[in-house]
Amino acid sequence: MRIVTLCGMGFGTSMMLKLFVDDILKAEGIKAEVIPTDLGSFKGLNADIIVAPTDMERHVKGVRGHLALIHNLVDKVEVKEKVMSAIREFQAGKPN
Amino acid sequence: MDEPRSDTARPSLGDLLAGDTVRARVQVDSWQAATEAAGQLLVGAGLVEARYVAAMRHVLQELGPYVVIAPGIALLHARPDDGVLAPCLALITLSQAVEFGSEQNDPVDLVFALGAVDKTAHIAALQELAGLLMEPQVLERLRSAADDQALLAAIQSALISKGRES
């Protein structure tokens, strides 16, 4: 499973999201590759799951992959719920 | 006088958020002015080139308000090659919150400006920052700090109590 965390540059927001997602995966005992990236490169990564701030929705519409759009990036509960829901969709083989 | 820095290659949050890049109750009337105020702290401290400030503004104009990462909190940044001289972070609190154009997280009264030199040097500090921003009582203390000294003290005490937990 490949998860990308997304922001405009690939250095700040996406890096912070990666740190959270890594924590969640560790706590849940799930193995996945988590790559922080920027808008310019994420389409080439063929991610199974894309984690991005809600305000980036228009940039990720129509892209292949299960989306987890986060409204409050420092709300652990929200990040966990949305990321786990995207992971479960992916694991269940739902079309996206 | 500067405190000795623990590790200049991988600075901690305490190294980055020091006296010269932290300001409380800054008065601005727009996101552009807030970006300018936070960015100029980094320029004044010799941590970024002047063009970095315009680059951060450009990110917002081009990519939208996703930099408002949580209610009231903006994390501004541009690219390392936009003139970052050292890993750095500024924080300003605003006396009056301003709109950044975020549908759900406006208005903003905590503005961080981050400068990264590569993908890794700032990660330890970013991780610490994420840990602090998760704590509602830390946010409350940052917001209620009346002056620069109180804001610095709020950051330092939050870092110390966080350090005790881990």
Side-chain angles (χ1 to χ4, degrees):
Chain A
M1 178 163 51
R2 176 179 275 181
I3 301 175
V4 300
T5 58
L6 190 62
C7 74
M9 311 277 109
F11 288 93
T13 311
S14 58
M15 196 59 82
M16 203 180 259
L17 275 171
K18 174 190 160 57
L19 297 169
F20 292 150
V21 172
D22 279 339
D23 281 351
I24 293 166
L25 295 176
K26 200 174 162 194
E28 298 288 322
I30 297 169
K31 278 210 177 356
E33 182 184 18
V34 184
I35 309 171
T37 190
D38 62 274
L39 273 177
S41 13
F42 87 102
K43 284 179 188 165
L45 289 172
N46 289 318
D48 300 306
I49 291 164
I50 300 161
V51 186
T54 306
D55 281 314
M56 286 197 112
E57 185 170 9
R58 68 185 169 98
H59 298 287
V60 293
K61 266 195 181 149
V63 173
R64 191 194 146 272
H66 295 276
L67 263 182
L69 290 170
I70 313 294
H71 149 57
N72 180 346
L73 269 77
V74 298
D75 180 342
K76 261 185 180 167
V77 177
E78 182 193 351
V79 176
K80 183 164 187 172
E81 267 174 16
K82 290 185 172 167
V83 169
M84 286 308 297
S85 154
I87 289 175
R88 281 191 294 267
E89 280 177 21
F90 169 73
Q91 288 172 334
K94 274 194 192 167
N96 47 74
Chain B
M1 225 172 52
D2 284 346
E3 291 288 311
R5 300 203 165 194
S6 52
D7 178 352
T8 48
R10 280 176 168 267
S12 70
L13 187 62
D15 293 331
L16 297 187
L17 277 185
D20 47 359
T21 63
V22 172
R23 292 287 180 275
R25 302 285 165 98
V26 176
Q27 293 205 12
V28 292
D29 56 8
S30 64
W31 69 262
Q32 291 92 336
T35 305
E36 184 74 23
Q40 285 305 332
L41 287 179
L42 299 178
V43 175
L47 298 164
V48 301
E49 294 171 22
R51 64 190 171 102
Y52 192 70
V53 184
M56 289 196 298
R57 215 163 42 228
H58 191 69
V59 170
L60 264 150
Q61 276 158 346
E62 290 294 305
L63 300 175
Y66 79 90
V67 297
V68 187
I69 57 169
I73 306 174
L75 177 64
L76 309 173
H77 66 99
R79 288 181 196 282
D81 59 10
D82 289 321
V84 180
L85 303 171
C88 56
L89 185 67
L91 166 62
I92 60 173
T93 64
L94 304 181
S95 54
Q96 277 194 311
V98 297
E99 305 278 322
F100 271 67
S102 171
E103 262 177 49
Q104 294 183 296
N105 291 335
D106 267 341
V108 170
D109 62 351
L110 291 179
V111 180
F112 293 88
L114 171 74
V117 290
D118 56 29
K119 291 229 172 200
T120 57
H122 62 297
I123 299 234
L126 201 60
Q127 188 149 26
E128 285 181 281
L129 179 62
L132 293 193
L133 298 182
M134 280 179 190
E135 307 288 340
Q137 65 273 34
V138 171
L139 298 180
E140 179 50 42
R141 288 200 59 190
L142 297 180
R143 289 184 161 120
S144 64
D147 55 33
D148 298 350
Q149 285 308 316
L151 182 55
L152 267 177
I155 294 164
Q156 279 155 3
S157 81
L159 284 171
I160 290 165
S161 55
K162 203 74 190 168
R164 278 201 204 105
E165 276 172 38
S166 53

